[in-house]
Amino acid sequence: MNSILDHFSKNVNIIILAFLIVGILLTCYGFVGLIAEPQGWRWATNYAQLFLALTFFVAIIGVWRGVTIGIIIVSSLVAILLGAVFPILVVVVLSLSAYALGKIIIRYPNIAATDYLLVGIVAFGTIFSLLVQLPINNIGSWGIIIAIPLIFGHHDIQEITKCILRYKYVSKSETIMSHLLYSSITGAGLVHLIAGLMPEIGHDALASHLFIPAFVANNQFWGFDASIYSWAVMPMLVDWIYSVGFMFGGETVTKLVNVGSIFLLCILLVRVTRWAGANKVGSAWAVLLFLLNPVTFLESSSLFIEGFWSTLVIAGTLALLRTLNSKEKSSIEVYLAAILFGGAISAKAVTAVLLPLLVIVMIIRWRHWYSKDLIKPILVGSLVFFVVGGVPYIRALILTGNPVFPFFNAFFGSEYFPFENFTNGLFNSRLTWDTMYQMTFNTNDYLEATPGGAGFHWMMLFVPATAWLLITRHKRGILLSVIAIGWIFFVFEQQSYLRYVFPSIALTCVIIGIFVSSHKAINPIVHRFLLLTAGLTLLANLLHLNAGTWQGHINLDVITDKQKKETYLRSERPIRVAVQVVNKLNSEQRPVPFFSQPFGAGLAADALYPNWYNGNFHALVFSAKDSTALSTALSSQNVEYMLVDSNWNYPNVLNMLNDISDEVSQIGTISIRKLSLKNPRITN
């Protein structure tokens, strides 16, 4: 094996150039198919236009006063003009409180500020996940909890504030390449911020990730009732973090908390690339490629949970990897990894698919980190992991009899779900030799997105980067590649869903950043061709930034004008306006059925969904043979008002609903109806 690598290393420039050319040719071939199908081709949207404009302004001011001043001026203007100053300040205060709490929990002096912050976030998420089952959750009680770390950790907050102010930022002395990279990163980050300020219209957010925080704010508790919501007891650490944002600033702050997780992940990518030996330029390329990836825009523009989850996974992985070369700090790294992975598995169960690979890596390389002094940290860390990570699973076991409800219910046999193993029929493409090509140009098989939604870095940059790491025997880079590819393999064996491998997507950008840092290891001409390829990748991504987002475009007027915001929602998601109307009518907070998409976010009462979210209600509705039976079924659920979409896929049920209810209001295709007290009308 070594002789083969020695042979390749002598011809590394030719091989890498060949990989780059083949990657470009394959991508161009795929682009021909996109051009032949106009519906799959997205020309420059206003996402791209905003990015270019913001980058231009930062760069111009940077030439005059330095990039740091350009970043501050342009970012401040965006925040002021879009009315985002107060929401951003709320996020900052919440972050400082989490940082102070992390410092209180881990008093070790020489770890990164992001680690303290993440430990505090996990702690807050765990605390609120326990409190939220009691009817005591309001802005007063949560305000006291948030204030305690701010009071007791005020010295730590002063210290971190001084460090931020004294930090040596980018100046005019940077190279042109650095200047453009930092300006572009700022432009991309601001587009993420602006997209996050748009009203929420995404499916998962309106069904659960925004529904839960709004429900807690309206009712001061979350019921964990699996008979109403099949996902009620799933791991939801991120949803409790979102609930904190909603409690103190509503939807806008909640969405900015999500955007903040993407920015936090960018900081971690810099830390990982530098750990692997990359220079500042390589780290900047990694961040820029990540920010301009369509999957990243999908995550930041709507309330998903993969941003925070991936941040915890990457931070935990970095803590473990640091033990391989730093025995002096190994004990604290073990504790950090335990807390962070505990938070990750408390946020998303698929973490259990990622962990075995890391365990295998640590076992194989045990000589590099193990010592007798680590026995206690490993035992204590394991206990911490199970305590922090076990909260949602223990609760699910107690409430439903199934610790991973509703999964594997054929084995656990919970009465709240059919005795079958819950599976998602979507995104079941198996791994093949051309998976990277298929992800790039048949993205709809891997994500709710159009072609290009996975980004274009896979063949043009990631494959050549991995080849270069192998040829040059770059140990840390190879280790990161094994982890990234291994995670994709293990997850795709279960379900080929790109959101579930978001940590791997982030790591692929790190690997490319290491590759870009190789200017001393490869021919200058080849390195310039590499930078050209990276530029083409960014351009392709830029033209497809909204390939996976629910928002077709960004409308700045919708962000700043309340009337235009309501007009926008009436057009894009009329059900959101209808929910607010129902809240005013439904004074007794009776359950509200949704004969429509399950978009109940903002509803003050419980939502009844006739789908797999609520198997009992689904059975009641679809077992009704006539209008009388349906009326009886709805009355048995204490229903008064309901939301009915005229485009719902079940016309027979719609006809019966028209017989047994009266329309109160019509908003777009959504009819707000009231169950009739008189006998159902008989229609021919």
Side-chain angles (χ1 to χ4, degrees):
M1 181 65 178
N2 288 337
S3 61
I4 295 174
L5 290 175
D6 288 337
H7 173 74
F8 281 135
S9 63
K10 295 177 182 178
N11 302 282
V12 61
N13 292 300
I14 297 173
I15 294 171
I16 295 305
L17 185 61
F19 269 106
L20 290 170
I21 292 173
V22 170
I24 291 174
L25 291 176
L26 286 172
T27 305
C28 288
Y29 175 77
F31 261 109
V32 171
L34 291 188
I35 295 172
E37 300 179 14
Q39 70 274 14
W41 174 250
R42 293 172 178 265
W43 295 102
T45 63
N46 70 339
Y47 279 73
Q49 295 161 6
L50 275 171
F51 165 75
L52 292 172
L54 292 167
T55 300
F56 174 79
F57 287 127
V58 174
I60 291 298
I61 297 173
V63 171
W64 171 49
R65 299 288 294 175
V67 175
T68 300
I69 299 300
I71 292 172
I72 293 172
I73 290 175
V74 176
S75 300
S76 299
L77 284 174
V78 168
I80 292 169
L81 292 174
L82 296 182
V85 174
F86 176 74
I88 290 173
L89 287 176
V90 173
V91 175
V92 169
V93 171
L94 295 176
S95 300
L96 289 174
S97 180
Y99 170 82
L101 180 59
K103 269 270 198 177
I104 292 170
I105 294 172
I106 296 183
R107 298 304 303 177
Y108 195 88
N110 295 318
I111 63 174
T114 49
D115 289 332
Y116 291 126
L117 174 59
L118 287 172
V119 168
I121 288 173
V122 171
F124 271 138
T126 304
I127 291 168
F128 289 121
S129 74
L130 296 171
L131 287 180
V132 79
Q133 56 199 344
L134 304 173
I136 59 173
N137 302 274
N138 52 56
I139 194 169
S141 60
W142 284 25
I144 293 172
I145 294 172
I146 295 296
I148 290 173
L150 293 173
I151 295 171
F152 286 95
H154 67 278
H155 292 299
D156 294 323
I157 293 173
Q158 290 174 359
E159 180 183 345
I160 190 65
T161 303
K162 290 177 181 178
C163 288
I164 292 172
L165 294 176
R166 292 173 181 171
Y167 187 79
K168 185 179 179 181
Y169 294 99
V170 183
S171 66
K172 290 192 287 186
S173 63
E174 293 289 336
T175 64
I176 294 175
M177 170 70 75
S178 298
H179 187 90
L180 291 175
L181 281 172
Y182 295 132
S183 299
S184 298
I185 288 171
T186 305
L190 288 174
V191 176
H192 280 276
L193 177 70
I194 294 169
L197 292 172
M198 287 286 289
E200 183 61 73
I201 60 173
H203 184 285
D204 286 29
L206 297 183
S208 61
H209 301 312
L210 186 60
F211 177 86
I212 293 168
F215 188 93
V216 171
N218 285 320
N219 298 278
Q220 301 190 25
F221 79 102
W222 176 251
F224 296 100
D225 191 342
S227 67
I228 301 178
Y229 313 105
S230 60
W231 36 261
V233 294
M234 282 185 177
M236 293 192 291
L237 182 91
V238 179
D239 291 304
W240 309 132
I241 296 168
Y242 287 160
S243 296
V244 177
F246 195 95
M247 188 72 74
F248 293 102
E251 178 182 330
T252 300
V253 170
T254 305
K255 294 197 70 180
L256 290 184
V257 167
N258 179 44
V259 174
S261 73
I262 298 298
F263 295 162
L264 190 55
L265 187 49
C266 288
I267 296 173
L268 279 168
L269 295 189
V270 172
R271 291 178 58 196
V272 177
T273 52
R274 299 309 297 273
W275 171 85
N279 57 25
K280 287 184 179 181
V281 171
S283 298
W285 272 103
V287 170
L288 184 57
L289 282 165
F290 175 71
L291 285 174
L292 289 182
N293 188 290
V295 181
T296 309
F297 265 93
L298 167 66
E299 291 290 341
S300 68
S301 63
S302 185
L303 275 183
F304 292 104
I305 66 170
E306 283 77 23
F308 263 118
W309 170 65
S310 297
T311 302
L312 294 171
V313 168
I314 297 294
T317 301
L318 179 59
L320 283 182
L321 295 180
R322 285 198 301 261
T323 65
L324 299 178
N325 66 301
S326 178
K327 289 191 176 182
E328 294 179 2
K329 294 169 58 178
S330 290
S331 59
I332 192 62
E333 305 293 3
V334 169
Y335 291 132
L336 273 175
I339 295 171
L340 296 171
F341 278 120
I345 203 167
S346 186
K348 203 170 184 69
V350 76
T351 308
V353 179
L354 310 183
L355 288 177
L357 179 61
L358 293 175
V359 173
I360 292 171
V361 168
M362 299 304 291
I363 290 174
I364 291 174
R365 299 179 63 85
W366 70 274
R367 293 181 184 274
H368 294 267
W369 61 270
Y370 177 76
S371 67
K372 291 183 178 179
D373 294 337
L374 286 180
I375 294 177
K376 179 180 177 181
I378 291 172
L379 292 176
V380 175
S382 298
L383 178 62
V384 170
F385 169 78
F386 285 111
V387 169
V388 174
V391 170
Y393 303 95
I394 294 172
R395 178 189 285 123
L397 178 64
I398 294 172
L399 295 179
T400 71
N402 179 351
V404 290
F405 185 89
F407 301 100
F408 302 110
N409 206 50
F411 175 79
F412 290 104
S414 171
E415 62 180 311
Y416 296 105
F417 200 78
F419 293 169
E420 60 188 35
N421 291 331
F422 172 75
T423 57
N424 188 337
L426 302 173
F427 312 117
N428 289 311
S429 301
R430 290 294 178 185
L431 279 169
T432 59
W433 66 272
D434 65 341
T435 291
M436 290 187 185
Y437 180 90
Q438 296 300 329
M439 286 193 305
T440 304
F441 295 104
N442 292 307
T443 316
N444 57 301
D445 291 333
Y446 301 86
L447 189 69
E448 301 95 336
T450 57
F456 292 89
H457 69 291
W458 299 96
M459 293 173 294
M460 288 207 289
L461 291 172
F462 177 62
V463 172
T466 304
W468 177 80
L469 293 173
L470 288 170
I471 294 170
T472 59
R473 304 176 193 179
H474 193 296
K475 292 182 180 179
R476 294 189 181 185
I478 292 171
L479 185 57
L480 292 173
S481 295
V482 168
I483 292 171
I485 296 171
W487 282 347
I488 292 174
F489 176 81
F490 285 132
V491 173
F492 275 26
E493 281 298 301
Q494 309 296 319
Q495 189 168 31
S496 55
Y497 196 22
L498 281 171
R499 278 176 45 209
Y500 293 172
V501 294
F502 195 50
S504 288
I505 293 175
L507 283 183
T508 60
C509 296
V510 167
I511 292 159
I512 294 167
I514 300 169
F515 187 30
V516 172
S517 299
S518 65
H519 62 283
K520 293 181 180 179
I522 59 177
N523 186 284
I525 295 176
V526 177
H527 191 263
R528 291 191 190 99
F529 191 77
L530 164 60
L531 294 179
L532 174 63
T533 306
L536 292 174
T537 303
L538 291 177
L539 178 61
N541 283 355
L542 190 59
L543 297 176
H544 291 75
L545 282 182
N546 64 342
T549 64
W550 288 92
Q551 299 164 353
H553 62 281
I554 297 174
N555 189 329
L556 299 180
D557 289 338
V558 170
I559 297 173
T560 57
D561 189 312
K562 289 185 179 180
Q563 178 126 21
K564 290 183 178 178
K565 176 181 178 180
E566 181 168 343
T567 302
Y568 171 81
L569 288 176
R570 284 178 177 271
S571 171
E572 297 292 331
R573 287 290 182 268
I575 196 167
R576 292 211 61 188
V577 180
V579 164
Q580 298 306 315
V581 175
V582 167
N583 281 341
K584 295 176 182 178
L585 295 171
N586 189 28
S587 58
E588 297 181 7
Q589 292 195 2
R590 297 185 181 186
V592 178
F594 281 67
F595 299 102
S596 62
Q597 292 276 17
F599 297 159
L603 188 70
D606 273 314
L608 299 178
Y609 298 125
N611 57 21
W612 71 270
Y613 290 2
N614 189 330
N616 292 333
F617 186 65
H618 178 272
L620 275 177
V621 170
F622 287 96
S623 64
K625 302 299 183 182
D626 53 35
S627 299
T628 301
L630 183 58
S631 178
T632 301
L634 294 177
S635 296
S636 70
Q637 300 298 304
N638 198 28
V639 168
E640 182 176 12
Y641 294 97
M642 64 192 79
L643 296 176
V644 181
D645 190 340
S646 59
N647 293 327
W648 201 45
N649 293 329
Y650 303 96
N652 291 338
V653 177
L654 289 178
N655 289 334
M656 288 191 289
L657 289 171
N658 289 335
D659 293 341
I660 63 175
S661 62
D662 300 310
E663 184 174 89
V664 176
S665 179
Q666 180 83 24
I667 302 171
T669 61
I670 305 298
S671 175
I672 302 173
R673 306 188 70 86
K674 184 175 182 180
L675 191 64
S676 178
L677 296 178
K678 57 182 180 293
N679 292 328
R681 296 181 289 277
I682 305 299
T683 57
N684 295 324

